[in-house]
Amino acid sequence: MSETRITCEVNGRKVARTVATHKRLLDLLRDDLNLTGTKEGCGAGECGTCSVFVDGKLVKSCLVPAARAEGARIETIEGLAGMGPLTPVQKAFHKTGASQCGYCIPGMVMAATNCLRLNPEADIDEIKERMGGNICRCTGYTKILEAVEIARDVIAGRRPEGDLDTDEPLGDSFIGHNVRRIDAPAKVTGRLRYAADMKLVDMLQMQVLRSPHPHARIVSIDTSVAEAMEGVECVITAADVPGKDGFGVFVHDQPIMARGKVRHVGEAVAAVAAEDLLTARRAVAAIKVEYEPLPVIGTPEDAIAPGAPVIHDYAPDNVVKHIPLRKGNPEAGFAEADLIIEDSFSTQSVEHAYLEPEAGVAFVDHDDVVTVHSPSQNITHHRHMLADILGLPINKVRMVMSAVGGGFGGKEDMIYQGMLALAAIRTRRPVQLNFTREESLIASAKRHPSKVSYKMGLKRTGKITAITFDMLSDGGAYGMSSEGVMRKAAILSCGPYEVHNLQVDTRAVYTNNTPSGAFRTFGGMQAQFATESMMDIAAEALGMDPFELRRINMYRKGSITHTQHRLDRASLDMVLDAAETASRWESGAPNVRGAARSDMGGPDTRQPCTLGARIVAEAADLSQGDHPTKASTEAAE
Amino acid sequence: MNAITQTSADTRRKRGRGMAASWYGIARTATIDRAGAWAEIDDGGTIKVVTGVTEIGEGILTVLAQVAAEETGARPEDVTIGDNDTARSPEAAHAGATRQTYMIGNSVALASREARKMLFEQIAEHWDTPEDSLRAFNGEIWVEGSNLRMTLSEAVAICKGRGVVPVGAASFTAHGTGLHPVDGKGSPWQTYVFGTQVAEVEVDTWTGEVQVLGIWAAHDVGRCINPRGVEGQIEGGVVQGLGQALMEEHICEGGHPTTHGFAKYILPTALDVPQINCIIVEDEDPTSPLRAKGIGEPALVPTCPAIMNAIYDAIGVRMKSLPATPEKILAALRMPPGGGARITWNNRPAGETLT
Ligand code: FES
Ligand code: FES
């Protein structure tokens, strides 16, 4: 491995290191200097979590070769405040509650600092543009932007510095009070360590061999060359699992590595633990797998077609779960209707895109307890499953939930902890696995794509008389949370409206696509997107205001839900009133009256964006690794 | 903007508004949910809380610190929350299902009350006053209507001097029931929340691009523990909903994913964010000690349909397949007007026209 000697200044101190020439500035900072406040969210210049200053200029350190640091002056998140008090930008982030999971926050603080260094008078549009290369998946950016404006005003002297440290006075309770986030200082300084930031003595690095096929039988796996490589401590496959293999939030249909066949592209087939990342990667490349391709199911319709290939033997019809709801008599309800509307709706597969890719560290402790640190959203269930998989008593498995850099449901599946635990047992050394963004995208669950066929009957008065609701969802290759997602989709299906006659069916089926799983709303948004679209179609047909139609049908105290649960209370009337009033909603039927409305363009809206108008001069600077935003397709006019 | 005259701008860029309502259940679905916690009122008037859960970004650590402080009389900054570790902390199950504030919050509230009760018993004897005359808040403890007052730190020292460590443990349960396998009958949750959002959009009919300029989001969260935290959840949920509405799509072609990175998988950035106006509605939950409900997931439910309804208001095109990308909007604009739904009237009076 060729190496380079690098001498540079980092956060005001001279440092010298000899590093492998393939390393990036990000690796030099994180691996060699232990400055883990700089994060790797994508490794491709697209997220901004790795932002640092090099000779005063903000760069994405994942795109910069380490050798470029030679002789340079580098400033990282750790250097902004140093040992002193937080900077105004950091304090403002703390004050407004701008950090949630915190994974994007060091990069955001760097980008905000850069913006205000370049133009201390930057207005909100310029701030947005200068921060447009940094992604945050948690906050919706609003409190981040608010923080940058506050910091700007403090730095410009327009606002007293003391404002950054003062909050609204405390009344007689902490409940309902805007107590500042107790984890914010650790996040705005980059001090909080996530799993990928952990370093243990003697720790190995894991890499995973993943399937290139959507559906194939594994004929053979030859790990001998990989195992013989210097620096390789172990190579594991499904054959090494000592206990009862299988995990899943509901049905345990997924082995920790493919067993006998692969069911989606990106499924883990084998894993290597080696002295360093490069050796592990080389060893993975040396594993030979012979596959025999099987017919592929690419859509849920294909999955339920007669004679479809079977993906899991236990489910010969490819159905993961079907949830039926029956209430009243839909046929009679439709007969009673003055108006019947039929339509269908579809939603896509969505990635959680938490900024922290999956990561974990496993080791076996002095009492033979197999310990896994990972950003798992469900350590309780993971412990149960892992104990079975490893064939160990439950108190010999210990799961620790490391700081989670965003989850949204996507970290409920135990897709890598099993491999880590197995390698730790085999090597008796700590083992770390950090996913790349590409791995995270192909190996983790997505939001269920779904299709809904809808039929709604209504009286002329607006009262709903009957609904049939049929949802078909692509569960992908493994069950994961599909069962629960279908259950919640069914329960919430017809919206917050009392419907006396209904027939609801939700089904998730296996395909050879990336598995679908838990994702914020768990089926609720797919179902209610269809219902709320139908309600507006109905309101237009009836010539009725959309709020009005919803009030006519809404749940009240004593209403019977779609699952025939009597509600003791319901607050829909309150939120309808609140949204209508706050938005100054102009009443009327939803009949394409946008051009005639007078309730739009108020001070509680933003101006449409004309990107590039502000900082065209520096466009060349920004282009380095700039995130291709959707808005950026609109050129300055 | 400069090159376009007012008239052509009027025909090119069209605005509209839409709304959508929603509902959601709190905590695990169609099952019993449970969470455990331990609390100790510690030296210096500080608090130790241990429960099997940690932050995934939603702000639960801060919420728990507020709850423990409120229940014990300490200050939030004096609360330390232990690690989430299956070998070191009681089970609190998973971080999801909009259950953190409701399940873990209530369990920490109950455990803190237990610890406070032990402390109050000792201090009541020490001051020779009835236990129910004691109050504690913000680091102090006192007897209502008297000038007996000391710091919580002093109170802990007295309590321990009497040989008692004030500790508490609690479990909180939410009683959902499973669904009947044939008709789905059941009581999936004991607490529900409702929300309504209004969206205001501008559609560029030349490029098909949609900008969301304003969102009004009214959500019932039960008793609100931390308003800024709730706003943060709503803002984040709205922007995730916006991403799903307009741009995000993970694509598999014949089982082969083609969206390999953020260059292909487009996410909302600061430039896409509307002004988000949060309206927090507090319909307190009478059945749980904290009277709070939740907001994590529900915040995102109405965003997509509100935006699609607003697009319809602006350009008369009903987007029924997400995401509503510029390509899909342009294609839909080339189709004949109308939503495309099949609408049938029964017993329609003569002369009435179809919408
Ligand atoms: S890690 Fe460098 S931009 Fe994402
Ligand atoms: S706080 Fe920005 S990604 Fe989580």
Side-chain angles (χ1 to χ4, degrees):
Chain A
M1 205 189 296
S2 73
E3 294 191 322
T4 317
R5 181 79 180 162
I6 295 170
T7 309
C8 55
E9 185 194 306
V10 178
N11 297 333
R13 297 180 69 91
K14 276 253 170 304
V15 299
R17 290 289 186 281
T18 302
V19 303
T21 33
H22 71 270
K23 282 199 172 183
R24 309 161 296 175
L25 175 56
L26 177 62
D27 305 317
L28 172 71
L29 294 171
R30 290 179 51 83
D31 302 350
D32 299 282
L33 300 175
N34 229 344
L35 294 170
T36 53
T38 305
K39 308 293 181 195
E40 178 165 4
C42 73
E46 290 152 1
C47 74
T49 57
C50 64
S51 303
V52 299
F53 288 105
V54 175
D55 292 329
K57 190 161 167 284
L58 190 74
V59 301
K60 288 172 174 164
S61 62
C62 69
L63 296 178
V64 178
R68 278 262 299 276
E70 177 59 32
R73 191 169 45 82
I74 294 162
E75 196 179 358
T76 70
I77 183 76
E78 291 89 346
L80 286 187
M83 298 297 141
L86 301 183
T87 66
V89 170
Q90 288 171 320
K91 282 188 178 179
F93 270 61
H94 185 201
K95 179 184 172 78
T96 65
S99 58
Q100 289 191 17
C101 83
Y103 207 78
C104 72
I105 293 299
M108 286 288 180
V109 168
M110 296 301 274
T113 303
N114 179 56
C115 174
L116 298 180
R117 280 182 187 174
L118 289 175
N119 183 5
E121 298 292 333
D123 67 6
I124 185 67
D125 290 325
E126 177 169 352
I127 292 169
K128 283 183 184 174
E129 283 183 39
R130 291 205 185 272
M131 300 192 61
N134 289 63
I135 297 174
C136 174
R137 191 53 156 170
C138 302
T139 63
Y141 303 98
T142 305
K143 302 227 179 302
I144 291 176
L145 296 170
E146 183 190 350
V148 184
E149 288 196 279
I150 291 175
R152 175 199 59 202
D153 292 349
V154 168
I155 292 167
R158 278 194 297 274
R159 195 178 170 136
E161 203 172 334
D163 260 19
L164 295 169
D165 299 311
T166 44
D167 295 307
E168 66 199 57
L170 174 67
D172 58 1
S173 173
F174 290 110
I175 306 295
H177 185 66
N178 281 318
V179 172
R180 290 196 188 196
R181 289 184 65 117
I182 60 177
D183 53 350
K187 288 174 175 172
V188 300
T189 54
R191 287 197 304 255
L192 181 64
R193 287 192 188 252
Y194 299 82
D197 304 331
M198 287 177 70
K199 284 200 179 98
L200 300 183
V201 175
D202 217 21
M203 187 167 80
L204 300 167
Q205 286 296 325
M206 172 173 277
Q207 287 290 286
V208 178
L209 178 68
R210 299 187 176 279
S211 166
H213 298 286
H215 200 192
R217 195 171 71 81
I218 297 173
V219 179
S220 65
I221 305 179
D222 180 359
T223 58
S224 56
V225 175
E227 259 159 325
M229 287 170 69
E230 189 188 332
V232 171
E233 286 295 297
C234 81
V235 181
I236 51 171
T237 67
D240 298 301
V241 174
K244 190 172 173 301
D245 202 357
F247 68 90
V249 177
F250 291 87
V251 53
H252 295 185
D253 61 352
Q254 183 162 8
I256 63 170
M257 286 168 284
R259 182 173 293 273
K261 74 172 182 170
V262 291
R263 296 179 174 89
H264 73 96
V265 171
E267 179 170 359
V269 174
V272 172
E275 296 291 348
D276 59 75
L277 194 59
L278 198 64
T279 308
R281 288 211 173 116
R282 287 186 174 144
V284 161
I287 299 172
K288 290 189 206 68
V289 185
E290 196 187 329
Y291 295 100
E292 178 190 304
L294 296 168
V296 172
I297 300 184
T299 66
E301 289 80 6
D302 288 349
I304 49 173
V310 173
I311 296 179
H312 290 267
D313 292 340
Y314 93 93
D317 55 359
N318 290 323
V319 174
V320 189
K321 192 69 185 180
H322 168 212
I323 304 286
L325 305 188
R326 301 289 179 265
K327 180 184 172 193
N329 181 346
E331 216 174 301
F334 285 119
E336 190 196 327
D338 294 325
L339 171 66
I340 292 172
I341 303 172
E342 288 165 274
D343 215 333
S344 51
F345 302 86
S346 68
T347 63
Q348 76 277 40
S349 172
V350 183
E351 160 65 16
H352 301 79
Y354 25 71
L355 266 285
E356 179 208 22
E358 289 77 355
V361 176
F363 56 87
V364 182
D365 81 2
H366 45 266
D367 289 324
D368 288 326
V369 176
V370 180
T371 306
V372 184
H373 289 252
S374 69
S376 152
Q377 286 183 256
N378 194 344
I379 52 169
T380 306
H381 190 214
H382 287 188
R383 175 175 77 152
H384 281 272
M385 295 190 293
L386 195 55
D388 284 347
I389 290 166
L390 299 175
L392 291 173
I394 204 127
N395 67 345
K396 291 294 176 193
V397 176
R398 174 182 173 206
M399 303 298 267
V400 182
M401 184 175 178
S402 54
V404 183
F408 316 115
K411 289 172 180 167
E412 288 182 17
D413 307 301
M414 202 180 70
I415 57 175
Y416 58 101
Q417 290 87 347
M419 293 186 286
L420 275 172
L422 198 53
I425 292 170
R426 284 281 300 273
T427 61
R428 286 274 160 170
R429 289 173 64 176
V431 185
Q432 183 173 49
L433 169 60
N434 300 330
F435 278 32
T436 62
R437 176 56 58 184
E438 289 71 21
E439 264 183 305
S440 177
L441 272 158
I442 60 167
S444 71
K446 305 287 172 275
R447 186 189 293 289
H448 286 75
S450 71
K451 296 201 173 83
V452 174
S453 302
Y454 217 118
K455 182 175 174 186
M456 181 186 277
L458 302 102
K459 298 297 279 182
R460 207 167 276 285
T461 57
K463 189 83 200 139
I464 300 170
T465 59
I467 288 178
T468 58
F469 176 109
D470 191 276
M471 173 187 273
L472 179 61
S473 296
D474 185 347
Y478 288 100
M480 294 191 166
S481 287
S482 280
E483 175 177 335
V485 169
M486 289 307 99
R487 190 174 293 118
K488 202 165 204 163
I491 296 167
L492 298 171
S493 58
C494 305
Y497 311 114
E498 188 160 24
V499 181
H500 297 295
N501 307 296
L502 58 80
Q503 175 176 324
V504 173
D505 293 278
T506 61
R507 262 172 312 163
V509 298
Y510 286 117
T511 67
N512 295 114
N513 293 329
T514 314
S516 302
F519 195 156
R520 195 175 192 175
T521 82
F522 221 62
M525 77 76 42
Q526 292 98 315
Q528 294 184 67
F529 160 60
T531 296
E532 292 303 303
S533 298
M534 288 293 284
M535 290 301 278
D536 257 38
I537 295 171
E540 183 182 18
L542 293 162
M544 195 177 273
D545 179 79
F547 278 91
E548 206 41 48
L549 180 64
R550 284 158 175 96
R551 284 195 183 96
I552 288 168
N553 292 287
M554 71 184 173
Y555 282 144
R556 300 173 163 80
K557 179 177 160 62
S559 291
I560 309 291
T561 67
H562 316 318
T563 62
Q564 304 180 56
H565 179 197
R566 179 181 294 277
L567 296 179
D568 292 330
R569 57 200 298 117
S571 57
L572 184 53
D573 55 341
M574 297 166 73
V575 293
L576 283 170
D577 291 353
E580 192 178 29
T581 308
S583 67
R584 299 162 282 100
W585 179 266
E586 190 174 284
S587 181
N591 54 2
V592 200
R593 60 191 174 101
R597 298 185 83 113
S598 62
D599 56 352
M600 295 195 292
D604 41 7
T605 60
R606 75 159 162 90
Q607 290 308 301
C609 138
T610 51
L611 190 86
R614 296 275 160 195
I615 44 173
V616 174
E618 291 103 339
D621 288 359
L622 284 175
S623 70
Q624 180 179 26
D626 209 11
H627 175 64
T629 67
K630 177 162 173 298
S632 71
T633 56
E634 175 166 67
E637 289 159 8
Chain B
M1 277 306 228
N2 34 33
I4 299 164
T5 64
Q6 190 54 45
T7 349
S8 72
D10 280 348
T11 52
R12 173 176 175 179
R13 296 201 172 82
K14 300 195 168 171
R15 292 202 184 179
R17 282 184 148 200
M19 58 81 64
S22 61
W23 69 315
Y24 212 77
I26 298 299
R28 287 189 165 171
T29 308
T31 185
I32 283 208
D33 200 355
R34 67 214 179 234
W38 300 331
E40 177 185 342
I41 306 179
D42 202 355
D43 292 343
T46 64
I47 309 294
K48 247 187 267 169
V49 169
V50 188
T51 178
V53 81
T54 195
E55 189 72 35
I56 62 170
E58 75 284 72
I60 187 63
L61 295 183
T62 310
V63 164
L64 297 182
Q66 286 176 258
V67 168
E70 184 75 9
E71 296 291 347
T72 56
R75 305 173 305 169
E77 60 266 39
D78 295 328
V79 179
T80 300
I81 297 169
D83 282 345
N84 184 19
D85 178 332
T86 56
R88 309 284 186 272
S89 46
E91 174 184 325
H94 81 293
T98 312
R99 66 188 287 284
Q100 303 280 70
T101 298
Y102 189 70
M103 297 302 305
I104 328 302
N106 278 316
S107 142
V108 166
L110 293 173
S112 303
R113 277 178 203 182
E114 289 271 311
R116 181 188 62 194
K117 189 167 172 31
M118 285 183 75
L119 178 75
F120 275 22
E121 277 167 8
Q122 297 306 315
I123 300 305
E125 272 186 37
H126 170 77
W127 268 334
D128 192 21
T129 181
E131 223 181 290
D132 61 9
S133 69
L134 289 177
R135 299 287 178 274
F137 179 62
N138 202 18
E140 292 197 321
I141 181 167
W142 66 95
V143 176
E144 186 88 311
S146 85
N147 53 12
L148 287 170
R149 182 177 283 265
M150 62 179 150
T151 64
L152 196 60
S153 175
E154 290 163 330
V156 172
I158 289 166
C159 182
K160 288 196 175 175
R162 297 168 64 93
V164 173
V165 180
V167 290
S171 170
F172 180 73
T173 314
H175 299 274
T177 69
L179 303 188
H180 188 276
V182 175
D183 64 7
K185 208 169 173 177
S187 307
W189 301 288
Q190 60 185 29
T191 301
Y192 295 80
V193 290
F194 298 83
T196 298
Q197 291 183 12
V198 172
E200 185 169 320
V201 304
E202 181 178 281
V203 185
D204 184 329
T205 57
W206 292 5
T207 64
E209 194 164 27
V210 178
Q211 292 193 51
V212 184
L213 304 177
I215 292 278
W216 293 261
H219 288 271
D220 169 26
V221 302
R223 182 164 169 236
C224 177
I225 311 283
N226 189 314
R228 271 207 166 254
V230 168
E231 286 168 19
Q233 287 300 293
I234 294 176
E235 290 155 1
V238 162
V239 173
Q240 281 191 357
L242 182 151
Q244 169 148 19
L246 300 177
M247 59 191 86
E248 296 181 34
E249 185 165 21
H250 168 81
I251 298 169
C252 267
E253 281 168 14
H256 291 272
T258 58
T259 29
H260 290 300
F262 291 157
K264 287 273 182 66
Y265 189 87
I266 307 299
L267 292 159
T269 72
L271 294 155
D272 300 297
V273 173
Q275 176 150 346
I276 301 168
N277 306 281
C278 302
I279 306 107
I280 299 172
V281 173
E282 297 184 73
D283 179 40
E284 298 194 352
D285 177 43
T287 64
S288 55
L290 271 182
R291 309 196 302 282
K293 296 177 189 169
I295 185 61
E297 296 173 277
L300 126 59
V301 177
T303 309
C304 273
I307 292 173
M308 296 309 129
N309 288 340
I311 292 173
Y312 184 78
D313 191 44
I315 57 171
V317 156
R318 185 151 289 287
M319 303 307 296
K320 296 184 288 195
S321 157
L322 298 182
T325 57
E327 297 75 23
K328 282 194 203 164
I329 298 257
L330 289 180
L333 278 168
R334 286 194 289 270
M335 301 287 281
R342 197 139 70 83
I343 300 181
T344 324
W345 287 90
N346 291 337
N347 320 313
R348 228 167 109 240
E352 188 167 332
T353 50
L354 259 183
T355 44

